[in-house]
């Protein structure tokens, strides 16, 4: 199962970090549409943040793991842009979870 954890600031509710762990095992390796969808959404969001805002997101990526954190000290204007992109990612992941809930769980803390 894929586990996505969204870490939010307790006061503001803004997303500070997210992680993706595990595998869906929906289909054979290379044919797993759930893994492919989650990977496309999460990695695509990281790429969009970096390209559209100019903010490089510290991350760790390897097989079955993606951890991303917004850098401290990012200016407020860019934080707003990053939040919009990250909230969009959450909506897309919720859509995948609604359709394939047996293979993915989205947690927000």
């Amino acid at each position: 199962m894929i586990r996505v954890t969204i870490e939010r600031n307790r006061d503001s509710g803004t997303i500070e970090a997210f992680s993706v762990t595990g595998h869906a095992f929906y289909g054979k390796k290379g044919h797993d549409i759930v893994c492919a969808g989650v990977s496309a959404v999460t990695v695509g969001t990281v790429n969009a943040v970096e390209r559209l805002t100019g903010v490089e997101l510290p991350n760790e990526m390897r097989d079955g793991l993606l951890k991303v954190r917004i850098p401290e000290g990012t200016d407020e204007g860019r934080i707003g842009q990053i939040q919009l992109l990250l909230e969009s990612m959450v909506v897309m992941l919720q859509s995948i979870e609604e359709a394939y809930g047996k293979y993915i769980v989205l947690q927000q803390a």
Side-chain angles (χ1 to χ4, degrees):
M1 173 175 279
I2 296 173
R3 203 170 290 288
V4 180
T5 304
I6 307 296
E7 295 177 36
R8 293 184 179 273
N9 180 287
R10 291 179 194 234
D11 297 325
S12 66
T14 59
I15 297 171
E16 296 181 328
F18 71 90
S19 64
V20 183
T21 59
H23 292 283
F25 300 110
Y26 177 82
K28 294 178 183 177
K29 189 173 182 172
H31 299 279
D32 190 323
I33 62 171
V34 178
C35 274
V38 170
S39 294
V41 167
T42 55
V43 174
T45 297
V46 170
N47 291 339
V49 166
E50 291 181 349
R51 183 166 296 164
L52 298 174
T53 70
V55 175
E56 189 171 328
L57 298 178
N59 65 76
E60 179 182 350
M61 190 182 324
R62 62 179 185 265
D63 186 42
L65 174 72
L66 173 61
K67 289 184 179 183
V68 177
R69 180 162 297 281
I70 296 174
E72 290 186 30
T74 302
D75 70 76
E76 288 299 315
R78 289 198 171 131
I79 288 289
Q81 295 172 326
I82 293 168
Q83 289 302 308
L84 181 60
L85 292 165
L86 293 176
E87 291 294 352
S88 174
M89 177 191 75
V90 170
V91 170
M92 289 183 270
L93 291 170
Q94 287 170 332
S95 296
I96 295 171
E97 182 183 38
E98 287 172 14
Y100 299 97
K102 184 177 172 184
Y103 304 96
I104 177 175
V105 63
L106 177 63
Q107 302 169 318
Q108 299 195 54

